[in-house]
Amino acid sequence: MGTVPPTPDQQSRAEAIAAEITALLTACPYALPGTIATRKSQCGRSNCRCHADPPQLHGPYHQWTRKKNGKTATKILSDEQLADYRPWFDNHKRLRELIAELEELSLAIAENDPRWNR
C-alpha cells in the first residue's frame, strides 16, 4: 500500500470484513434496502369490529418503506413475500454495517498518512 501500511490488526480486520461480505453474497446474492414495519389498523366503517370495545384491528400488514428517486415509497407485503424477502432485507442491513466498519477502518489508516503533515 505504499507509504501508508495498515497495522497488522487493521489488515486482519479488513480481511475478515471482506471474507464476511463474500460469504454473505455467496449465500444470498440479493439485498433489498428499506425497513419493514408490521402494523394493525382501523378502517373507516363505524360498525366494524375494529371500532368495538376492545377493538379487533385489521392486519397485520407488513409495510416495506424505502427511498425511491428521493421520495418515500411504501409497499404492502404478504406474509409469503415477507418470508421470501426477509433474508434480502437482513443481507442489506449487514452489508451496510460491514461497509460502514470498512469505511471507519480505511479512515483510520488514511489519517495516519504522514503526507498530511506536509
Side-chain angles (χ1 to χ4, degrees):
M1 280 194 38
T3 61
V4 192
T7 67
D9 286 345
Q10 290 170 327
Q11 182 66 36
S12 175
R13 186 60 197 137
E15 290 170 1
I17 291 170
E20 187 172 348
I21 289 172
T22 301
L24 277 172
L25 293 176
T26 300
C28 176
Y30 306 106
L32 281 174
T35 58
I36 297 293
T38 299
R39 305 183 193 287
K40 292 187 172 194
S41 63
Q42 286 184 325
C43 70
R45 294 183 8 230
S46 60
N47 62 341
C48 181
R49 65 183 170 89
C50 65
H51 293 282
D53 188 23
Q56 296 175 5
L57 301 178
H58 299 282
Y61 301 108
H62 310 292
Q63 293 181 322
W64 168 29
T65 304
R66 66 184 177 105
K67 287 292 185 180
K68 183 177 178 182
N69 299 325
K71 295 185 178 184
T72 301
T74 301
K75 289 190 179 272
I76 303 299
L77 302 177
S78 68
D79 291 340
E80 182 180 1
Q81 287 173 310
L82 180 63
D84 288 345
Y85 296 143
R86 170 86 60 202
W88 298 11
F89 292 114
D90 294 344
N91 210 27
H92 183 266
K93 181 180 179 184
R94 184 62 185 144
L95 286 169
R96 286 183 57 105
E97 291 169 352
L98 289 168
I99 294 298
E101 187 176 347
L102 189 59
E103 287 172 348
E104 282 183 41
L105 183 63
S106 300
L107 283 169
I109 294 168
E111 287 174 356
N112 287 325
D113 186 339
R115 295 172 289 185
W116 292 119
N117 297 326
R118 286 187 186 177

